[in-house]
Amino acid sequence: MFKYQEVSLQIRQQIEEGIYKKGDRLPSIREMIQQYHCNKDTILKALHLLKEESLIYPVEKSGYYVLKNRVPVRNTTKIGLPNPMQFPIEDFRKCLNESVMASYEGASSQKESIRGDRELIEAMVPLLESYGVYAKEGQLSITTGTQQALYILLQLIGTGGLLLEQPTYSRMNQLVKELGIPYQMIEREQMQDTISLEKLEQIFQSGTIRYFYTISRFHNPLGMSYPDSIKKKIVELAEKYQVYIIEDDYMADYERGTATPLHYFDTNERVIYVKSFSSILFSAFKMGIVVLPNAFIKEFEKRKQLLDFDSNLLMQKTLALFIQNGLFEKHRQKMVAHYHEKSQQFRQLLELSEIEKTHLHGTQLLLERSQLSLLKEKLNLEITIDTLEDAYIEEITPEIFSLDVYALSMKHMQELIHLLEERGEVDE
């Protein structure tokens, strides 16, 4: 992390914690130079970041003032919810305005493909490559979020049978039950980044399922990712037994390093890749991308046309401009840096503590159920405890629960650590 980012983070935390309240004047640039032991350029860069987040505003010949206190956001999606204060709303608004003007001028009057806006499809090809997904434009289809894509894919299953990881994305469980899809279950290891390959092969070999739904990276709700060795083996088994994999890669934007999706290892078109953008942009942004094997394209487009021909064409054109102008990548880098910074901060606090029986995957903290009652009673932070019941398609009482520390300030992280240490003392 650069020095200006450290300074920006410290000031941001002071605003979050109410040390600087709405309308308060920040210290002068000269005072901050002395306080943070850096030069003027560093301070100006830090202030620019805070201004972009709409946390502060400048007054000519007076200084910088706090626009609003940023309250940690209640995380209702359990994992990976972006803080709306970090979204570059002005940049996005400019792209939206340009799309609206183009529609008035007739530039958007041409007949659009069922697959989606042509410019967005073109922009998606290099973007998907940055995720490790290599596909041709003809294989791509824009949908109204992940749920629409999964709904259409489940209709294509028919009587083929579906294998579900458990736990998994709660809405996938709901869709499977509501549509009456025949399914089997396989346990996703809750404390390790793996799955029983032996059991997976047995189920594939039985011939009773045709599709396998999995979240290979940043699993929802566990937060963990398969290592590449496991991904390769899963794809090999799918090819061997002619099973299609539905890979939900909703958090692909937060990947850092060389980790790849299952689709990267697929050379025989056995992986159907699904990705949404709400986790990197904002939760109300319902748009997704599906990468289809050639055998599925015609039937998928036919069913999509019946549901939703153009999947909000105006927003498609806006996203295309946002990507083409480099604004998406700029925002993504900022969000990824913040996500991994939060993860590192909490991991360091865990390592310095005496807490046992916890597992941190990204910003997702897994705890044993015995710790649940104390946290529900004493936890007074803007954070959602996920007891994971909805992550199972059948009614069970999970042995673990999870919470996401992404929205917590350093102060609140320390409070949570202290509470968990108290719980450990009680257990002893």
Side-chain angles (χ1 to χ4, degrees):
M1 183 185 298
F2 294 106
K3 181 66 176 179
Y4 75 90
Q5 293 173 316
E6 293 179 5
V7 173
S8 174
L9 177 62
Q10 290 182 45
I11 298 173
R12 186 187 300 115
Q13 289 175 342
Q14 290 172 327
I15 293 173
E16 286 179 353
E17 294 166 8
I19 296 173
Y20 295 128
K21 296 180 173 60
K22 182 178 179 180
D24 285 355
R25 180 180 178 274
L26 295 180
S28 68
I29 291 176
R30 181 177 297 177
E31 289 171 330
M32 285 192 276
I33 289 172
Q34 295 175 348
Q35 180 180 352
Y36 296 108
H37 307 289
C38 58
N39 57 37
K40 182 179 178 180
D41 286 344
T42 299
I43 296 298
L44 290 175
K45 283 184 178 180
L47 293 173
H48 179 70
L49 287 180
L50 296 169
K51 182 184 173 184
E52 279 192 332
E53 295 182 42
S54 299
L55 288 175
I56 64 173
Y57 64 96
V59 175
E60 189 175 358
K61 296 182 180 180
S62 178
Y64 287 83
Y65 290 79
V66 177
L67 179 61
K68 60 182 72 174
N69 289 98
R70 186 173 75 172
V71 179
V73 178
R74 183 172 295 278
N75 188 347
T76 55
T77 59
K78 312 298 191 299
I79 178 172
L81 179 68
N83 189 320
M85 294 303 298
Q86 295 175 299
F87 184 69
I89 186 66
E90 290 301 324
D91 290 339
F92 195 79
R93 184 182 289 124
K94 290 175 184 177
C95 295
L96 177 60
N97 290 343
E98 189 173 335
S99 298
V100 172
M101 290 302 297
S103 67
Y104 274 116
E105 294 169 1
S108 300
S109 61
Q110 70 270 24
K111 181 178 176 62
E112 294 294 339
S113 166
I114 300 170
R115 295 187 294 110
D117 176 66
R118 177 179 54 80
E119 291 187 353
L120 181 56
I121 292 288
E122 290 176 356
M124 281 292 171
V125 172
L127 182 62
L128 286 168
E129 288 177 359
S130 72
Y131 302 143
V133 177
Y134 296 86
K136 298 178 181 178
E137 290 182 13
Q139 294 178 272
L140 310 187
S141 184
I142 305 298
T143 61
T144 307
T146 297
Q147 193 162 358
Q148 185 191 66
L150 295 177
Y151 178 78
I152 296 172
L153 290 171
L154 287 177
Q155 289 184 318
L156 300 181
I157 289 177
T159 58
L162 173 72
L163 180 62
L164 280 172
E165 287 179 332
Q166 295 289 282
T168 195
Y169 178 40
S170 60
R171 290 185 181 178
M172 184 60 165
N173 287 332
Q174 293 169 6
L175 282 171
V176 171
K177 287 193 289 186
E178 290 296 325
L179 293 174
I181 303 297
Y183 67 87
Q184 294 183 48
M185 300 174 292
I186 185 169
E187 183 183 4
R188 179 84 177 236
E189 294 289 340
Q190 296 182 353
M191 298 302 181
Q192 300 180 46
D193 302 343
T194 189
I195 193 171
S196 173
L197 293 173
E198 181 180 355
K199 185 172 182 181
L200 185 67
E201 182 167 16
Q202 288 175 355
I203 297 173
F204 282 8
Q205 190 176 23
S206 70
T208 56
I209 64 107
R210 192 183 175 206
Y211 298 85
F212 172 41
Y213 174 77
T214 181
I215 304 173
S216 66
R217 302 193 284 191
F218 298 97
H219 183 270
N220 182 355
L222 302 177
M224 58 188 64
S225 302
Y226 286 138
D228 283 354
S229 59
I230 297 292
K231 294 174 192 171
K232 288 178 184 178
K233 187 62 178 176
I234 291 174
V235 173
E236 287 173 5
L237 291 174
E239 293 173 354
K240 182 177 180 180
Y241 297 106
Q242 297 296 289
V243 171
Y244 285 105
I245 299 171
I246 301 175
E247 181 178 21
D248 190 340
D249 202 21
Y250 77 116
M251 285 274 286
D253 295 288
Y254 292 88
E255 186 61 76
R256 177 186 278 179
T258 59
T260 52
L262 292 168
H263 193 279
Y264 178 82
F265 301 104
D266 179 27
T267 58
N268 291 288
E269 296 200 349
R270 306 310 303 182
V271 177
I272 304 167
Y273 182 87
V274 181
K275 161 95 174 70
S276 65
F277 293 93
S278 56
S279 69
I280 194 67
L281 295 177
F282 51 92
S283 57
F285 191 81
K286 301 303 181 185
M287 192 175 297
I289 181 75
V290 184
V291 181
L292 296 161
N294 286 298
F296 285 79
I297 294 174
K298 185 176 181 179
E299 192 62 30
F300 187 93
E301 290 181 353
K302 177 182 175 182
R303 292 182 181 270
K304 180 178 180 295
Q305 185 175 18
L306 295 174
L307 291 173
D308 179 8
F309 183 85
D310 58 15
S311 296
N312 197 335
L313 188 57
L314 186 62
M315 280 294 102
Q316 287 191 49
K317 292 185 175 296
T318 302
L319 180 58
L321 286 172
F322 198 63
I323 294 171
Q324 290 166 348
N325 291 324
L327 300 173
F328 179 86
E329 183 58 27
K330 176 184 175 183
H331 171 65
R332 181 168 71 162
Q333 289 180 8
K334 183 177 178 181
M335 291 293 292
V336 171
H338 187 66
Y339 176 86
H340 288 278
E341 176 189 318
K342 286 287 187 176
S343 177
Q344 185 178 11
Q345 285 177 349
F346 197 79
R347 187 174 299 281
Q348 288 173 347
L349 291 175
L350 272 179
E351 290 173 351
L352 292 172
S353 73
E354 297 180 358
I355 299 171
E356 298 178 350
K357 301 178 181 178
T358 61
H359 296 265
L360 183 69
H361 301 280
T363 60
Q364 199 75 359
L365 182 66
L366 303 180
L367 299 160
E368 291 189 348
R369 198 170 186 86
S370 60
Q371 297 167 301
L372 180 59
S373 58
L374 178 71
L375 288 186
K376 278 190 172 181
E377 178 184 344
K378 294 189 176 183
L379 190 63
N380 189 30
L381 305 176
E382 290 292 321
I383 190 171
T384 296
I385 295 175
D386 183 7
T387 54
L388 303 187
E389 278 90 350
D390 291 341
Y392 290 88
I393 196 167
E394 298 181 356
E395 292 187 11
I396 68 165
T397 301
E399 297 178 357
I400 62 171
F401 67 98
S402 72
L403 49 85
D404 196 334
V405 301
Y406 179 83
L408 297 184
S409 66
M410 177 60 78
K411 177 183 176 181
H412 289 155
M413 286 184 182
Q414 291 168 340
E415 289 179 15
L416 178 58
I417 289 290
H418 180 66
L419 192 57
L420 291 172
E421 286 179 327
E422 282 186 357
R423 173 73 237 189
E425 292 173 2
V426 170
D427 289 342
E428 291 175 5

